[in-house]
């Protein structure tokens, strides 16, 4: 497609979207207004289900089926990455060499790794009470583990990261979310309906099914992101192409000084 | 919300401005490695905006995914592609520095 045709196509699409978006926005409640019809209904339902964090109640109770779809997207992308970035026949495993790290950097890592892991666990565990939840806490857990790579080197990260186990854990946790929904069907209600005892408001065990699904999502997201990054890191650092030549542990310095080929 | 702007309004405006600036800079940065860094800054700006708009849940997700994981994935991919592309076709159109809108 020529450049002018592309620009014309873009302008047409942009005009349609601009008109439709403007029309859609005229019917919305005002930005930052005190009263919001959806908000009022959601908070009401949340209080009825004795969940302190409305967002978690929406994610894991009122609209849990949506969240199931989102978690499946993450599982799907982990599956896709593991299929695409697997080690092929022409590649072999490289032995990453130990890397010298500044003492201040490793001190930073040693001090902050446990704190970051604890923060992740806290945010997952309190998902039904305070801002955060399985997804946010899971991402924090996963990135916290990679402080080991920043503060030491890839060999240390590989030692503290059991990839095969996390691979399984990811799938099991994603499956657990699906199976927890069946609990509603067994109890004679709808799929993913909150049928567990609701407990006391604003305690760790309140909210019925919400903390359980939240924990499953936390495990799934945490292990999923670690596995995702593991495949990328393995391709970048832990693999060398079979026809030799390139060094595994050093990027070729063509960032700035390579002459532009075009 | 009648007439006089409160402090929150000013903060929201500043955050929106920050997001618009960094987003534009991210679009105009041509080198993917640099773009990843600018993208991280955009993620930080968005997290700030969400916090000011009283959406801490979204801000936390944005902080984790937009500021840490996505730039890391981009940087790892760029490094792998550059290393693997040594023999074959040269990577990317231009590893140059025509980041026209970048604020530095």
């Amino acid at each position: 497609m020529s450049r002018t045709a592309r620009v014309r196509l873009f302008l047409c699409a942009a005009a349609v979207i601009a008109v439709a978006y403007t029309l859609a926005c005229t019917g919305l409640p005002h930005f930052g207004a005190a009263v919001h019809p959806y908000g009022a209904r959601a908070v009401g339902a949340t209080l009825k289900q004795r969940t302190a964090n409305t967002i978690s109640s929406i994610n894991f109770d009122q609209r849990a089926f949506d969240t199931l779809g989102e978690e499946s997207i993450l599982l799907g992308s982990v599956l896709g990455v593991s299929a695409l970035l697997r080690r092929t026949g022409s590649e072999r495993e490289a032995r990453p060499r130990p890397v010298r790290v500044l003492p201040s950097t490793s001190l930073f890592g040693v001090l902050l790794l446990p704190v970051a892991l604890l923060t992740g666990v806290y945010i997952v565990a309190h998902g039904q009470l305070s801002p955060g939840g399985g997804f946010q806490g899971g991402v924090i857990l996963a990135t916290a583990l990679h402080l080991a790579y920043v503060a030491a080197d890839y060999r240390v990260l590989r030692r503290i990261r059991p990839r095969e186990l996390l691979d399984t854990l990811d799938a099991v946790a994603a499956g657990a979310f699906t199976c927890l929904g069946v609990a509603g069907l067994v109890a004679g209600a709808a799929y993913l309906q909150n049928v567990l005892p609701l407990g006391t408001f604003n305690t760790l065990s309140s909210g019925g099914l919400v903390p359980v699904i939240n924990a499953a999502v936390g495990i799934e997201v945490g292990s999923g992101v670690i596995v995702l990054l593991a495949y990328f890191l393995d391709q970048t650092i832990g693999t060398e192409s079979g026809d030799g030549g390139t060094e595994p542990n050093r990027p070729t310095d063509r960032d700035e000084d390579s002459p532009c080929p075009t | 919300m009648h007439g006089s702007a409160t402090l929150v309004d000013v903060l929201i405006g500043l955050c929106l401005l920050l997001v618009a600036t960094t987003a534009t800079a991210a679009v105009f940065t041509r080198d993917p490695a640099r773009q990843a860094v600018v993208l991280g800054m955009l993620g930080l700006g968005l997290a700030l905006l969400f916090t000011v708009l009283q959406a801490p849940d979204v801000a936390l997700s944005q902080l984790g995914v937009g500021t840490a994981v996505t730039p890391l994935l981009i940087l790892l991919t760029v490094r792998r592609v550059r290393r693997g592309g040594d023999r074959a076709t040269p990577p990317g159109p231009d590893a140059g520095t025509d980041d026209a809108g970048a604020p530095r």
Side-chain angles (χ1 to χ4, degrees), chain B residues 1 8 11 15 27-28 30 34-35 40 42-43 52 57 63 82 86 97:
Chain B
M1 294 275 167
V8 176
L11 274 177
C15 287
V27 171
F28 281 111
R30 305 304 300 178
R34 283 163 193 236
Q35 206 170 28
L42 170 63
V52 174
D57 287 82
L63 207 58
R82 287 202 175 142
D86 274 352
T97 53

Side-chain angles (χ1 to χ4, degrees), chain B residues 30-86:
Chain B
R30 305 304 300 178
D31 177 28
R34 283 163 193 236
Q35 206 170 28
V37 179
V38 183
L39 211 60
M41 290 199 293
L42 170 63
L44 210 60
L46 276 173
L48 223 72
L49 177 68
F50 293 146
T51 312
V52 174
L53 288 174
Q54 298 180 35
D57 287 82
V58 197
L60 271 172
S61 317
Q62 177 60 39
L63 207 58
V65 177
T67 314
V69 177
T70 313
L72 180 58
L73 286 182
I74 294 175
L75 283 176
L76 287 172
T77 312
V78 167
R79 188 169 154 181
R80 177 69 180 93
V81 168
R82 287 202 175 142
R83 200 191 66 191
D86 274 352

Side-chain angles (χ1 to χ4, degrees), chain A residues 3 19 23 50 59 66 96 104 113 116 126 140 151 187 222 226 245:
Chain A
R3 190 180 162 80
V19 170
L23 283 177
R50 290 186 220 155
N59 279 344
D66 284 12
S104 54
L113 182 69
H126 290 73
I140 293 174
I226 292 174

Side-chain angles (χ1 to χ4, degrees), chain A residues 116-155:
Chain A
L117 283 177
L118 193 67
T119 309
V121 172
Y122 179 93
I123 286 184
V124 173
H126 290 73
Q128 68 276 20
L129 303 178
S130 54
F135 185 79
Q136 292 89 338
V139 174
I140 293 174
L141 280 174
T143 43
L145 200 70
H146 289 81
L147 275 177
Y149 175 52
V150 176
D153 56 19
Y154 191 55
R155 303 180 313 151

Side-chain angles (χ1 to χ4, degrees), chain A residues 78 81 163 166-167 170 222-232:
Chain A
V78 172
V81 164
R163 194 176 79 192
L166 290 170
D167 240 340
D170 182 38
S223 46
V225 173
I226 292 174
V227 170
L228 208 67
L229 286 171
Y231 276 108
F232 274 81

Side-chain angles (χ1 to χ4, degrees), chain A residues 17 34-35 59-61 71 77 90 109 114 134 144 162 182 200 224 228 248 252 260:
Chain A
I17 288 173
V35 185
N59 279 344
F60 303 127
D61 185 359
E71 297 315 307
S77 53
S90 64
V182 181
T200 318
L228 208 67
T252 45
C260 180

